[in-house]
Amino acid sequence: MFKSRMALLLCSALALAGPVCASPQHDHAAHAAFDGKQVPVPSPRWVADEPLRDGMGRIHQSLDELRHHEMGHMSDAMAQDRAGLILDAGAYIFAHCKLQPQQDAVLHSMLVPLLSAAQKLKDQPQDVAEVAAMRKAVADYPRYFDDPAWTAEAPAEHAHHE
């Protein structure tokens, strides 16, 4: 059932992407079952182009804001909004992707579980564990892609609000 939900989510994202990503040399559907751990971390890291930096930057910001939801300091409606922003950013990345096949496959292996968890949080905002699932899905992004907004180190602990 999980694989079918993932495939449905990927198909939905690809439908939003439209013909931009349907070029013969760039088959996104082939990446649905890809395991990104099979690809060694490149040295130097792959350059993230502007659309990737933009979309991933919006994802990074939303994930950072969702820390408040994990701590009980954000309403369910606000968490649903942030999950929606992540879904929109993922659709934007799919629509504007211009990566080499191996880079594209690694990115898809991150985006598919990210978008699945974002959809689950949007559907059930009380399930804060989905925030951790989203963070885990993109944890390797800074290891593979050179993007100044993301660092390879673990994120700093978020200060507890009194």
Side-chain angles (χ1 to χ4, degrees):
M1 182 168 132
F2 180 72
K3 286 185 181 180
S4 63
R5 283 184 54 102
M6 295 275 285
L8 178 63
L9 183 64
L10 179 60
C11 289
S12 298
L14 293 176
L16 290 172
V20 174
C21 291
S23 64
Q25 77 273 12
H26 198 109
D27 182 12
H28 290 270
H31 305 305
F34 181 80
D35 176 7
K37 293 183 175 133
Q38 297 172 350
V39 176
V41 174
S43 181
R45 294 176 295 160
W46 297 319
V47 175
D49 64 8
E50 181 58 36
L52 180 57
R53 286 192 312 268
D54 178 36
M56 290 302 288
R58 289 186 275 150
I59 289 167
H60 190 274
Q61 180 177 346
S62 294
L63 283 173
D64 189 50
E65 292 171 5
L66 281 167
R67 290 182 187 282
H68 293 284
H69 188 56
E70 290 175 301
M71 294 182 289
H73 301 148
M74 178 184 278
S75 70
D76 286 352
M78 289 178 72
Q80 288 173 307
D81 177 66
R82 296 321 182 273
L85 292 173
I86 290 170
L87 292 168
D88 291 346
Y92 174 83
I93 292 169
F94 280 125
H96 295 89
C97 57
K98 292 181 181 155
L99 300 173
Q100 296 299 313
Q102 187 177 42
Q103 297 167 357
D104 187 64
V106 168
L107 182 64
H108 278 69
S109 73
M110 296 174 200
L111 290 180
V112 170
L114 169 77
L115 298 178
S116 176
Q119 186 62 57
K120 288 176 188 174
L121 182 65
K122 190 171 182 180
D123 293 343
Q124 298 178 350
Q126 66 281 5
D127 188 0
V128 296
E130 294 304 333
V131 178
M134 286 187 274
R135 203 172 286 116
K136 180 180 177 187
V138 294
D140 282 339
Y141 175 74
R143 293 179 61 226
Y144 283 90
F145 293 92
D146 185 8
D147 184 335
W150 291 68
T151 61
E153 295 95 34
E157 286 298 315
H158 192 77
H160 182 73
H161 300 285
E162 294 296 324

